Amino acid sequence: MPTMLGQNQYGKAETRVVRITRDGRTHHIKDLNVSVALQGDMADVHYSGSNAHVLPTDTTKNTVYAFAKEHGIESAEQFGMRLARHFVTSQEPIHQARIRIEEYAWDRIAAVDGPSHEADRPSREAASGASAHSFVRTGQETRVTQITFDGETWEVMSGLKDLTVMNSTDSEFWGFVKDKYTTLREAYDRILATEVSARWRYHWSGDDEPMPDWDDSYDRTKRHILRAFAETYSLSLQQTLYQMGSRVIENRGEIDEIRFSLPNKHHFLVDLAPFGLKNDNEVYFAADRPYGLIEATVLRDGAEPRIPLDLTRL
Amino acid sequence: MPTMLGQNQYGKAETRVVRITRDGRTHHIKDLNVSVALQGDMADVHYSGSNAHVLPTDTTKNTVYAFAKEHGIESAEQFGMRLARHFVTSQEPIHQARIRIEEYAWDRIAAVDGPSHEADRPSREAASGASAHSFVRTGQETRVTQITFDGETWEVMSGLKDLTVMNSTDSEFWGFVKDKYTTLREAYDRILATEVSARWRYHWSGDDEPMPDWDDSYDRTKRHILRAFAETYSLSLQQTLYQMGSRVIENRGEIDEIRFSLPNKHHFLVDLAPFGLKNDNEVYFAADRPYGLIEATVLRDGAEPRIPLDLTRL
Amino acid sequence: MPTMLGQNQYGKAETRVVRITRDGRTHHIKDLNVSVALQGDMADVHYSGSNAHVLPTDTTKNTVYAFAKEHGIESAEQFGMRLARHFVTSQEPIHQARIRIEEYAWDRIAAVDGPSHEADRPSREAASGASAHSFVRTGQETRVTQITFDGETWEVMSGLKDLTVMNSTDSEFWGFVKDKYTTLREAYDRILATEVSARWRYHWSGDDEPMPDWDDSYDRTKRHILRAFAETYSLSLQQTLYQMGSRVIENRGEIDEIRFSLPNKHHFLVDLAPFGLKNDNEVYFAADRPYGLIEATVLRDGAEPRIPLDLTRL
Amino acid sequence: MPTMLGQNQYGKAETRVVRITRDGRTHHIKDLNVSVALQGDMADVHYSGSNAHVLPTDTTKNTVYAFAKEHGIESAEQFGMRLARHFVTSQEPIHQARIRIEEYAWDRIAAVDGPSHEADRPSREAASGASAHSFVRTGQETRVTQITFDGETWEVMSGLKDLTVMNSTDSEFWGFVKDKYTTLREAYDRILATEVSARWRYHWSGDDEPMPDWDDSYDRTKRHILRAFAETYSLSLQQTLYQMGSRVIENRGEIDEIRFSLPNKHHFLVDLAPFGLKNDNEVYFAADRPYGLIEATVLRDGAEPRIPLDLTRL
């Protein structure tokens, strides 16, 4: 046979699971989108269609729901680890499992407004603070994680996407290469805006190290990214990216590597001169396409780079 | 000629304008998506292609940018009114202008975290509170408005979309009609979730009445919607809708009419019995399609209904 | 009570049904997205939450599937009529039903290539023509229809969306109004491109008239729209729109009214002068936003306009 | 410094270029979306913000437009190669260029209908065949390519996405593993539908080999994929995938490796028993999420696998 099977994987993608936990009248919510990808001894199903080694993708979906009940969802990372371990250890032909999870955040409804002091309608519930079982989706970034387990070693890559940020000043861009196709003018005060996609890889690989506190690590890493973006006087988006990455590596010992994909969401100063108006960095056109796309990894010195070149959508 | 021209309009849709206002080192941002639609004496351009009455859509785009500079953007409503008045009063053939605006909200970056007490990296900027010119898009609902002006009367319809809310209990659905195609079982404790689209029409029409405070009205109306959703013990999504609407009409004297389009974002209880597990309202499948769609208008007694049956995307 | 209920409707949106009909080894496919909206005596469910008049949206979904089996799907229009009649005549509280349907078209796989003359691999199936039960989605426009029935009168509005067309010449735009915000230059040879959304209303209302052949009418109407677009030397997109509409009204006696929503998909000539190059209508930037938006109705003389101002997404 | 820069790249993404070529009154169109990613000696811009090695992304956009004029667009592959060579050879600090291109296909308008024999309106243009400069977007699959050049070696990976196909019979799924979470029933006649994403890597790497005919290779490869899908009696989607891949490898000597990402677009047989109806493979629910996701590479024996695990969106 002149052809052969290469790298392959299969599983159920985008199983949407919502888990409610009740603490008396106070409920807690976890809202996940779980994608399972399994690798192993799968030549036969490709060559002959024999499913003797194939756990159906429908079963991997069922397992997500059953585990949400049996074990709860402490964090996306721990839930993913539980699933990965299950598939690899319970199915002989499965040698590796990769679990990808998106998590959507919800606020309690009254927490949106804080305590109510408005005159027009006092509300008992608002007076007592946040609602016990009413939620509004925050809608800001989406938290993501990817757990890979081969039966021995763990790899945890977490991150976020769709976090849109803007500095309305403290950004310049000049001193760049000019060739015969260059028309861009140098800028000494521009808007810098991007939609942050980031993935960071944890040092932890399941040996005797203690496991990080995944939720706390996520919150603090996001905060470092936001602050580094805000506090960097930027000469290029690459420089800002590096500041964001190195701030994380320097402050979060549990993270060895972080990669960003940063579209430069161009805000072009509108030329108002034809109308006799001066545009002193006040009115911008927010463009859709094309956009600059800046991508880089920042590593702890000596760490091995393992996050792939292209960050995936899921 | 056996055919004739009917209702028509034209203009530039989705002009993205970002307006920065500088108050010393502190910046303020308005981020809008503006769509202009003009009506008037436009038979010729349809019949013969004569553009003698046609102000180019490119010009309506330019006007958005020029007005953002000349007049600033106090609120989406006032900006839209300024544009509508301009087109109708400056162009003889234009008899009516309709301006639709989407507004995207931004928070100051440090405001995301509140004051920082974390140990791992003190930050001067966090200590002093919110960043002066660094922003993160809130990503929650999108605020919308539609201004219509015919040279004499104003109609202001504002609203919001993409506001996703959930009650994890206090929702029932039973006592419904059963016909030969009915298989749904009655529910005495279910999740109720929806993505709120709302449009409300202001009483104000430009006569001698004082103009509402548009931003304050928006904030309070959104809060009433959220609280009515949270506080209603629901026997049907229709009932919840009516509570949301009547709460707004009763509390906001400036609003005469409000319409909602509420997709019932079904969360189906997963059947875990095959795995020997009991699902006591803990594990749900969040479905995409199909979805119930509940739409209704709530009016102040005696008010004329004017919001159309279908809420538009833009 | 100072508030009251206005116009309302409810039902299941976006029920995805695929119906296979087997003619021996040859299969036929109908692929629809069906949305049901019911109106009637629905005050109680809004005021008190009583569902005594509410046929569940889940039941309307079931009815779609059951009818697909019991009656088949001859055309989207006839399937919608069957559903609308059922809801209005079988449920006392329901006074009006509106069924919206999207239809996705599929080609037989071998039909994609036509008969195969290629040398590299003769195929028995290709030799015998189109595959009997293998399909590829055409992916061009989406066909839509909306059926409204109030127990006596029928209204059928059909149409299409997402049909993207381009003329690479034979389009001009000049002689327009210039005001102080006008910078656009006159164009004597430009690209004209748009993504056609059209809705047409049939004269047929269920009285003693014979029913149109819906599929044939759709095919011919689409062809008239395409040809009118191709054959019109355009001085404005409005003129092209009117030609498209009047061509339909003049040739299709069964149609009384047609409305178009035509985004002007701008293709801007790129300024290559800085690189010492002349751009003789050869290289264009295809812009996303903003875009001109041209909307108008064309009517048979004497027909009553009934298609709403805004074409809906579904 | 405890942190260091890892793998990085930058460039302008999604430059939309439309190129018209005029052959008398007959026009030809190429409609591309071009993304440039450059790698090289870029440490400084990340560490210090010095742009001395940075050719602006705006310049890479300009280059796309200028090259479309200067050299035309023979095929996506050749256009990408021209761009890649330019960036690597003209800029000392740039060591590698990767060009990704999406291509959208257009048909001539009259070609949609074929010659017109309809009675209701003879048309001169239709009689003479396809329109010379009027086009309709086919809307089926999107063609993609990725060119990588490091100054010495070329890698060409082409492919397609969004090609939706369905077999309404000749698909089974049984004999799979059952564990305690398995509830799926075996299927002996099911619908098999997927949205094909494929990337294939050409053997050609720029040495003395003759270059493939890219357009012809694309057309024939697509045809093989479609036919293999149609002609395979399927026992699993993995088997169908392997048939599609091996058919390409066996028939197209210029291709060494092909990878597919195939979402299993589930069509679930609707249970009509509660309505007293038998569903004999006639009525299906087309589900959105979750979906099985089957991914694999098929290689020419001895070829080195180089297509990455995750196919990218762009």
Side-chain angles (χ1 to χ4, degrees):
Chain A
M1 189 174 47
T3 64
M4 60 178 194
L5 178 67
Q7 199 170 221
N8 61 85
Q9 60 185 357
Y10 84 101
K12 192 70 99 192
E14 302 207 43
T15 294
R16 293 279 290 105
V17 58
V18 170
R19 176 63 156 93
I20 303 294
T21 309
R22 292 159 189 245
D23 178 10
R25 284 286 288 166
T26 301
H27 292 192
H28 303 273
I29 179 176
K30 281 284 183 181
D31 185 359
L32 306 184
N33 189 20
V34 180
S35 296
V36 172
L38 306 176
Q39 298 185 18
D41 182 4
M42 294 291 154
D44 277 2
V45 65
H46 291 88
Y47 290 139
S48 72
S50 160
N51 294 300
H53 285 182
V54 177
L55 187 72
T57 66
D58 187 76
T59 300
T60 71
K61 176 203 70 180
N62 287 348
T63 309
V64 169
Y65 289 122
F67 275 36
K69 162 67 188 179
E70 288 183 277
H71 309 290
I73 300 176
E74 190 179 336
S75 67
E77 282 78 3
Q78 285 185 298
F79 189 63
M81 290 169 63
R82 211 179 279 277
L83 287 165
R85 184 192 304 273
H86 166 77
F87 293 120
V88 172
T89 58
S90 69
Q91 293 295 324
E92 167 74 21
I94 310 259
H95 304 154
Q96 184 181 296
R98 187 193 72 194
I99 314 293
R100 287 181 173 166
I101 300 179
E102 293 185 342
E103 179 171 356
Y104 314 111
W106 296 79
D107 283 331
R108 295 186 183 276
I109 278 189
V112 171
D113 330 300
S116 166
H117 300 296
E118 60 177 334
D120 64 351
R121 187 187 170 88
S123 151
R124 268 190 309 274
E125 188 141 19
S128 70
S131 164
H133 42 67
S134 296
F135 305 89
V136 57
R137 199 157 142 173
T138 62
Q140 198 165 82
E141 90 279 5
T142 298
R143 176 174 168 179
V144 297
T145 193
Q146 172 182 298
I147 307 294
T148 311
F149 181 57
D150 63 4
E152 294 195 356
T153 309
W154 294 90
E155 185 187 79
V156 181
M157 296 204 311
S158 298
L160 54 82
K161 60 180 182 178
D162 302 332
L163 182 69
T164 305
V165 291
M166 174 192 293
N167 286 328
S168 56
T169 187
D170 290 359
S171 166
E172 310 186 6
F173 187 56
W174 50 266
F176 44 72
V177 175
K178 281 106 189 163
D179 73 0
K180 64 179 284 205
Y181 299 114
T182 301
T183 55
L184 187 73
R185 290 194 300 189
E186 306 204 314
Y188 297 93
D189 188 359
R190 64 171 189 172
I191 280 184
L192 186 70
T194 186
E195 185 183 295
V196 180
S197 245
R199 295 295 182 284
W200 51 85
R201 185 172 55 78
Y202 286 97
H203 180 79
W204 185 85
S205 62
D207 36 43
D208 308 326
E209 266 186 293
M211 199 178 288
D213 177 334
W214 306 109
D215 285 353
D216 182 68
S217 178
Y218 178 83
D219 290 342
R220 290 176 185 269
T221 302
K222 177 185 167 188
R223 229 172 317 178
H224 283 299
I225 290 171
L226 283 174
R227 288 198 182 150
F229 179 81
E231 295 169 13
T232 301
Y233 190 103
S234 174
L235 301 174
S236 72
L237 182 48
Q238 281 92 330
Q239 183 201 18
T240 295
L241 182 156
Y242 191 77
Q243 286 301 311
M244 291 158 73
S246 60
R247 181 90 64 113
V248 169
I249 298 297
E250 285 165 21
N251 284 282
R252 306 304 316 164
E254 72 274 24
I255 297 175
D256 270 1
E257 180 186 10
I258 183 166
R259 185 167 179 84
F260 294 92
S261 177
L262 300 184
N264 193 339
K265 294 177 74 72
H266 302 303
H267 286 71
F268 296 115
L269 208 57
V270 180
D271 178 12
L272 302 174
F275 323 126
L277 300 170
K278 188 161 179 294
N279 190 354
D280 191 17
N281 286 354
E282 293 162 296
V283 180
Y284 295 87
F285 162 51
D288 294 315
R289 294 193 298 183
Y291 49 90
L293 184 57
I294 310 299
E295 300 170 289
T297 295
V298 181
L299 292 152
R300 184 172 307 287
D301 223 7
E304 185 198 359
R306 292 226 293 269
I307 307 179
L309 189 64
D310 290 303
L311 298 190
T312 53
R313 196 177 58 85
L314 278 184
Chain B
M1 188 175 47
T3 65
M4 60 178 196
L5 179 67
Q7 201 170 220
N8 61 85
Q9 60 186 356
Y10 84 101
K12 192 70 98 190
E14 302 207 42
T15 294
R16 294 278 292 105
V17 56
V18 170
R19 175 63 154 95
I20 303 294
T21 310
R22 292 158 187 247
D23 179 10
R25 284 287 287 168
T26 301
H27 291 192
H28 303 273
I29 179 176
K30 282 283 183 183
D31 184 359
L32 306 184
N33 188 20
V34 181
S35 295
V36 172
L38 306 175
Q39 299 186 18
D41 183 5
M42 293 291 154
D44 277 3
V45 65
H46 291 88
Y47 290 137
S48 72
S50 160
N51 294 301
H53 286 183
V54 177
L55 186 73
T57 66
D58 186 77
T59 300
T60 72
K61 177 203 69 182
N62 286 348
T63 310
V64 168
Y65 289 123
F67 274 37
K69 162 67 188 179
E70 287 183 278
H71 309 292
I73 300 176
E74 191 180 335
S75 66
E77 284 79 2
Q78 284 186 300
F79 189 64
M81 290 169 62
R82 211 179 279 278
L83 287 165
R85 185 191 303 275
H86 167 77
F87 292 120
V88 173
T89 58
S90 70
Q91 291 296 324
E92 170 73 22
I94 308 239
H95 304 153
Q96 185 180 296
R98 188 193 71 194
I99 313 295
R100 287 181 173 165
I101 300 179
E102 292 185 343
E103 180 171 355
Y104 313 111
W106 296 80
D107 283 331
R108 292 183 187 280
I109 277 188
V112 171
D113 330 300
S116 166
H117 299 297
E118 59 177 335
D120 64 350
R121 186 187 170 89
S123 151
R124 267 191 308 276
E125 187 141 20
S128 69
S131 164
H133 41 68
S134 295
F135 304 90
V136 57
R137 201 156 142 174
T138 63
Q140 197 165 81
E141 90 279 5
T142 298
R143 177 175 169 179
V144 298
T145 193
Q146 172 183 298
I147 307 293
T148 312
F149 181 58
D150 63 4
E152 293 195 354
T153 309
W154 294 90
E155 185 186 78
V156 181
M157 295 204 312
S158 297
L160 54 82
K161 60 181 183 179
D162 302 333
L163 182 69
T164 304
V165 291
M166 174 192 293
N167 286 328
S168 56
T169 187
D170 290 359
S171 167
E172 309 186 6
F173 186 57
W174 50 267
F176 43 75
V177 176
K178 280 104 186 164
D179 72 1
K180 64 178 286 203
Y181 298 114
T182 301
T183 54
L184 187 72
R185 291 194 301 188
E186 305 203 317
Y188 298 92
D189 188 0
R190 63 171 188 173
I191 280 185
L192 186 70
T194 186
E195 185 184 293
V196 181
S197 243
R199 296 296 182 283
W200 50 85
R201 185 173 55 78
Y202 285 98
H203 180 79
W204 185 85
S205 62
D207 37 41
D208 308 327
E209 266 185 293
M211 198 177 288
D213 177 334
W214 306 110
D215 285 353
D216 182 69
S217 178
Y218 177 84
D219 289 342
R220 290 176 185 267
T221 301
K222 177 185 166 188
R223 231 173 315 179
H224 284 298
I225 291 171
L226 282 175
R227 287 194 182 156
F229 179 81
E231 295 169 13
T232 300
Y233 190 103
S234 176
L235 300 174
S236 72
L237 183 48
Q238 282 92 330
Q239 183 199 19
T240 296
L241 181 157
Y242 190 77
Q243 286 301 310
M244 290 157 72
S246 60
R247 181 89 64 111
V248 169
I249 298 297
E250 284 165 21
N251 285 282
R252 306 306 316 166
E254 72 275 22
I255 296 175
D256 271 2
E257 181 186 8
I258 183 166
R259 186 168 180 84
F260 293 92
S261 177
L262 301 184
N264 193 337
K265 293 177 75 73
H266 303 303
H267 286 70
F268 296 115
L269 207 57
V270 179
D271 179 11
L272 302 175
F275 322 126
L277 300 170
K278 189 162 180 294
N279 190 354
D280 191 17
N281 287 353
E282 294 161 295
V283 179
Y284 295 87
F285 162 52
D288 294 315
R289 295 193 296 181
Y291 49 91
L293 184 57
I294 311 298
E295 299 171 289
T297 295
V298 181
L299 292 152
R300 185 172 306 287
D301 223 7
E304 186 197 357
R306 292 225 295 269
I307 306 180
L309 189 64
D310 290 303
L311 297 190
T312 53
R313 195 176 57 84
L314 278 186
Chain C
M1 187 176 47
T3 65
M4 60 179 196
L5 179 67
Q7 201 169 221
N8 60 86
Q9 60 185 357
Y10 84 102
K12 191 71 96 191
E14 302 205 44
T15 293
R16 294 279 291 105
V17 58
V18 170
R19 176 63 156 96
I20 303 294
T21 310
R22 291 158 188 247
D23 179 11
R25 284 287 289 167
T26 301
H27 292 192
H28 303 273
I29 179 176
K30 283 282 182 182
D31 184 359
L32 306 184
N33 188 20
V34 181
S35 295
V36 172
L38 307 175
Q39 299 185 18
D41 183 5
M42 294 291 154
D44 277 3
V45 64
H46 291 88
Y47 290 140
S48 72
S50 160
N51 293 301
H53 285 183
V54 176
L55 187 73
T57 66
D58 187 76
T59 301
T60 72
K61 176 203 69 181
N62 285 348
T63 309
V64 168
Y65 289 122
F67 274 37
K69 163 66 189 180
E70 288 183 276
H71 309 291
I73 300 175
E74 191 180 333
S75 66
E77 282 80 2
Q78 285 186 298
F79 189 64
M81 290 169 63
R82 212 179 278 277
L83 287 165
R85 186 191 303 275
H86 166 77
F87 292 119
V88 172
T89 58
S90 69
Q91 293 296 323
E92 169 73 23
I94 308 246
H95 304 154
Q96 184 181 296
R98 189 193 71 194
I99 313 295
R100 287 181 173 165
I101 300 179
E102 294 185 341
E103 180 171 355
Y104 314 110
W106 296 79
D107 283 331
R108 292 184 187 279
I109 276 187
V112 171
D113 330 300
S116 167
H117 299 298
E118 60 178 333
D120 64 349
R121 187 186 171 88
S123 153
R124 269 191 306 277
E125 188 141 19
S128 70
S131 164
H133 41 69
S134 295
F135 304 90
V136 57
R137 200 157 143 173
T138 63
Q140 198 166 82
E141 89 278 5
T142 298
R143 178 176 169 178
V144 297
T145 192
Q146 173 183 297
I147 308 293
T148 312
F149 181 56
D150 63 4
E152 294 194 355
T153 309
W154 294 91
E155 186 187 78
V156 181
M157 295 203 312
S158 297
L160 55 80
K161 60 182 183 177
D162 302 332
L163 182 68
T164 304
V165 291
M166 175 192 292
N167 286 328
S168 56
T169 185
D170 290 0
S171 167
E172 310 186 6
F173 186 56
W174 50 266
F176 44 74
V177 175
K178 282 103 186 164
D179 73 1
K180 64 179 286 204
Y181 298 113
T182 302
T183 55
L184 188 72
R185 291 194 300 187
E186 305 204 317
Y188 297 93
D189 189 359
R190 64 170 187 172
I191 281 185
L192 186 69
T194 186
E195 186 184 294
V196 181
S197 244
R199 296 295 181 283
W200 51 86
R201 185 172 55 78
Y202 285 99
H203 181 79
W204 186 84
S205 61
D207 38 39
D208 309 327
E209 265 185 294
M211 199 177 286
D213 178 334
W214 305 110
D215 285 353
D216 182 68
S217 178
Y218 177 83
D219 289 343
R220 290 177 185 269
T221 301
K222 176 186 166 188
R223 229 173 317 178
H224 284 298
I225 290 170
L226 283 174
R227 288 196 183 154
F229 179 81
E231 295 169 13
T232 300
Y233 190 104
S234 175
L235 301 174
S236 71
L237 184 48
Q238 281 93 330
Q239 184 200 18
T240 295
L241 181 157
Y242 191 78
Q243 287 300 311
M244 291 158 72
S246 60
R247 181 89 64 112
V248 170
I249 298 297
E250 283 165 21
N251 285 282
R252 304 307 314 167
E254 72 275 22
I255 296 175
D256 271 1
E257 181 186 10
I258 184 167
R259 185 168 181 84
F260 293 92
S261 177
L262 300 184
N264 194 337
K265 294 176 75 74
H266 303 302
H267 286 71
F268 296 115
L269 207 57
V270 179
D271 178 12
L272 302 175
F275 323 126
L277 300 170
K278 189 162 178 293
N279 189 354
D280 191 17
N281 287 354
E282 293 163 295
V283 180
Y284 295 87
F285 162 52
D288 294 314
R289 295 193 297 182
Y291 50 91
L293 184 57
I294 311 297
E295 300 170 289
T297 295
V298 181
L299 293 151
R300 185 172 306 287
D301 222 8
E304 185 197 358
R306 293 225 293 270
I307 307 179
L309 189 64
D310 289 303
L311 297 189
T312 53
R313 195 176 58 85
L314 280 184
Chain D
M1 188 175 46
T3 65
M4 62 178 193
L5 179 68
Q7 199 170 221
N8 61 85
Q9 61 185 356
Y10 85 101
K12 191 71 98 191
E14 302 206 44
T15 294
R16 294 278 291 106
V17 58
V18 171
R19 176 62 155 96
I20 304 294
T21 310
R22 293 159 188 245
D23 178 11
R25 284 288 287 168
T26 300
H27 292 192
H28 304 273
I29 178 176
K30 282 282 182 182
D31 185 359
L32 307 184
N33 189 21
V34 181
S35 295
V36 172
L38 307 177
Q39 298 185 17
D41 183 5
M42 294 292 153
D44 277 1
V45 65
H46 291 87
Y47 290 139
S48 72
S50 160
N51 294 300
H53 286 182
V54 177
L55 187 71
T57 66
D58 187 76
T59 300
T60 71
K61 176 202 70 180
N62 287 348
T63 309
V64 168
Y65 289 122
F67 274 36
K69 163 66 189 178
E70 288 184 277
H71 309 290
I73 300 176
E74 190 179 335
S75 66
E77 282 80 1
Q78 284 185 300
F79 189 64
M81 290 168 63
R82 212 179 277 278
L83 287 165
R85 184 191 304 274
H86 167 78
F87 293 120
V88 172
T89 58
S90 69
Q91 293 295 324
E92 168 74 22
I94 310 256
H95 304 154
Q96 184 181 297
R98 188 193 72 193
I99 314 293
R100 287 180 172 166
I101 300 179
E102 293 185 342
E103 179 171 357
Y104 314 111
W106 296 80
D107 281 332
R108 294 186 184 276
I109 276 189
V112 170
D113 331 300
S116 166
H117 300 297
E118 62 177 331
D120 65 350
R121 187 188 171 87
S123 152
R124 268 190 308 275
E125 188 141 19
S128 70
S131 165
H133 42 67
S134 295
F135 304 90
V136 56
R137 200 156 141 172
T138 63
Q140 198 165 81
E141 91 279 4
T142 298
R143 176 175 168 179
V144 297
T145 193
Q146 171 183 298
I147 308 293
T148 312
F149 181 57
D150 64 3
E152 294 195 355
T153 309
W154 294 91
E155 185 188 78
V156 181
M157 296 205 310
S158 297
L160 54 82
K161 60 181 183 179
D162 301 333
L163 182 70
T164 305
V165 291
M166 176 191 293
N167 286 329
S168 56
T169 186
D170 291 358
S171 166
E172 310 185 7
F173 186 56
W174 50 266
F176 43 75
V177 175
K178 282 105 187 162
D179 72 1
K180 63 178 287 203
Y181 299 114
T182 301
T183 56
L184 187 73
R185 290 194 302 188
E186 306 204 315
Y188 297 93
D189 189 359
R190 62 170 190 173
I191 281 184
L192 186 70
T194 186
E195 186 184 295
V196 180
S197 244
R199 297 293 183 284
W200 51 85
R201 184 172 54 78
Y202 286 98
H203 179 80
W204 185 85
S205 61
D207 37 42
D208 308 326
E209 267 186 291
M211 198 177 287
D213 178 334
W214 306 109
D215 286 352
D216 182 68
S217 178
Y218 177 83
D219 290 343
R220 291 176 184 269
T221 302
K222 176 186 167 188
R223 231 173 316 178
H224 284 298
I225 291 171
L226 283 175
R227 288 195 183 153
F229 179 81
E231 295 168 12
T232 300
Y233 190 102
S234 176
L235 300 175
S236 71
L237 184 47
Q238 281 92 329
Q239 182 199 20
T240 296
L241 181 156
Y242 190 77
Q243 286 301 312
M244 292 158 71
S246 60
R247 182 89 63 112
V248 170
I249 298 297
E250 284 165 20
N251 284 283
R252 305 305 316 164
E254 72 274 24
I255 296 176
D256 271 1
E257 180 186 11
I258 183 166
R259 185 169 181 83
F260 293 92
S261 177
L262 301 184
N264 193 339
K265 294 176 74 72
H266 303 303
H267 286 70
F268 296 115
L269 207 57
V270 179
D271 178 12
L272 302 175
F275 323 127
L277 300 170
K278 188 161 180 293
N279 190 353
D280 191 18
N281 285 353
E282 293 162 296
V283 180
Y284 296 88
F285 162 52
D288 295 313
R289 295 193 295 183
Y291 49 91
L293 185 57
I294 311 299
E295 300 170 288
T297 295
V298 181
L299 293 151
R300 184 173 306 287
D301 224 6
E304 184 198 359
R306 292 226 292 268
I307 307 180
L309 189 65
D310 290 302
L311 297 190
T312 53
R313 196 177 58 84
L314 277 185

